[in-house]
Amino acid sequence: MYMETKDYITPLDSAHSALLERRSIRRYEREAIPEEDLQFIRDAIRNTPTSYNGQQFSVIEISDQALKEQLAEIAAQKQLKTSARVFCFLSDFHKIAVAAEAKGIDNPGFENTADGLIVGTVDASLAMMSAIVAATSRGLGCCPIGYARTVAPERISELLGLPQGVYLVCALAVGVPREVPDMHPKQPQDLVIFNNSYGCPDMAGRLMDYDATVQHYNRTRAGSTSDNDWTAHILSYYREGMNYGMLDALRRRGYGVES
């Protein structure tokens, strides 16, 4: 619906804000999300493009406060308990297995290939981005929480009742924002979007410029500050991530990646 009033936010304005002014929100008001906004998020999730239209994902929407608090305690992420909703985005090959059994069709076990693992992960990630855009366009705040995937896969899988062939890709906290934090500086366009082939002139130099930009932002941003740059800080996350043992966790979830 379009209206020619100065104060009315048009769909175009809403899309611009949702895509270009998005930031991660970690503090929320104690306020319920209107049901029509929740339904809009659900509809956006369902309309996500997926590989083969196979829809190799599912989502668990969590409103139960006790369950949110359990997740927050496991992941040490307070926004999991203070947000109005938590959406858990799952790679899901269980549903196709159920359908194949019901029709008596042989299931080749696509999830046991590297491409199957990628397909389910991409589908769930696209669904989460659909939710983020939908929620942000309604003035809600979101925070993706990847640590929910890696911190304790078995405990969280048991808590959520995940069957074989399903694993948590990422959690998303959604609520009415209590803060408007500074936007993190993103890499400039020439480091993200290349022309016809990979790379840009003086990539190392351009990355060092961006590294300095991030460090300046961290030193001067509103709220808590630090001396973190981009390169060393991200590599520290990679070093930590190398200890997660995710391959074994995935295999226990039924993703026996062999090829």
Side-chain angles (χ1 to χ4, degrees), residues 71-80 147 151:
L71 289 171
E73 182 179 1
I74 294 171
Q77 300 286 324
K78 64 181 181 181
Q79 57 268 40
L80 287 170
Y147 196 46
V151 62

Side-chain angles (χ1 to χ4, degrees), residues 78 105 124 151 167 175 209 222 257:
K78 64 181 181 181
I105 301 174
V151 62
Y167 92 93
D209 290 343
V257 180

